[in-house]
Amino acid sequence: MHVDELKKLVINALEDLKAQNLVILDVKGTTSVTDYMIIASGTSSRQVMALARNVQDLTKEHNLKLLGIEGLDSGEWVLVDLGDILVHVMQPQTREFYDLEKLWGEYATPAVSELDKTATY
């Protein structure tokens, strides 16, 4: 699957469960680790875990390779590693503390909605 298709699937999986403040960081020109980081917030540890599991289930449904998932036990910050895409799902206070958007700020692109054809990812 092409990385742009995978990105759309991940965004849809997060939006389906009402992820908040969805941001896509295009880092392919900066690091060889991944092409994109997708960051989203959940309102509680339960929602953070549900969002991450929804992305995990998506990978299984589409026979995609999941390289790893960490943080499901606490639900404060869950990282889903899909290789070309790293998905960070965090509670708002954790997200504010680590501020990945500021760290990678010049690459941040707000994700309005995948259905909004005028949005660029």
Side-chain angles (χ1 to χ4, degrees):
M1 175 177 289
H2 190 268
V3 69
D4 289 331
E5 294 173 283
L6 177 57
K7 186 171 52 168
K8 288 177 185 178
L9 288 171
V10 170
I11 290 167
N12 288 336
L14 293 169
E15 286 180 340
D16 284 348
L17 295 182
K18 310 293 186 217
Q20 297 180 348
N21 302 321
L22 191 59
V23 173
I24 300 166
L25 305 174
D26 180 346
V27 296
K28 62 181 165 268
T30 304
T31 180
S32 61
V33 174
T34 192
D35 290 343
Y36 295 97
M37 291 185 201
I38 297 177
I39 304 171
S41 295
T43 58
S44 65
S45 60
R46 182 172 281 187
Q47 186 186 20
V48 167
M49 291 185 284
L51 288 163
R53 284 192 182 110
N54 205 34
V55 172
Q56 181 181 28
D57 292 344
L58 165 94
T59 62
K60 289 179 185 177
E61 287 175 24
H62 289 88
N63 296 318
L64 302 171
K65 187 175 183 180
L66 176 70
L67 298 179
I69 188 165
E70 296 197 23
L72 272 176
D73 53 336
S74 71
E76 196 171 315
W77 178 354
V78 181
L79 172 69
V80 182
D81 186 351
L82 301 171
D84 293 332
I85 297 176
L86 292 176
V87 183
H88 299 270
V89 185
M90 305 179 203
Q91 290 187 37
Q93 63 274 23
T94 303
R95 184 171 176 173
E96 184 179 330
F97 180 79
Y98 288 100
D99 201 3
L100 294 179
E101 289 93 339
K102 184 176 180 184
L103 180 65
W104 297 93
E106 67 186 272
Y107 305 102
T109 303
V112 179
S113 169
E114 191 54 36
L115 299 176
D116 180 0
K117 301 302 180 193
T118 61
T120 56
Y121 295 101

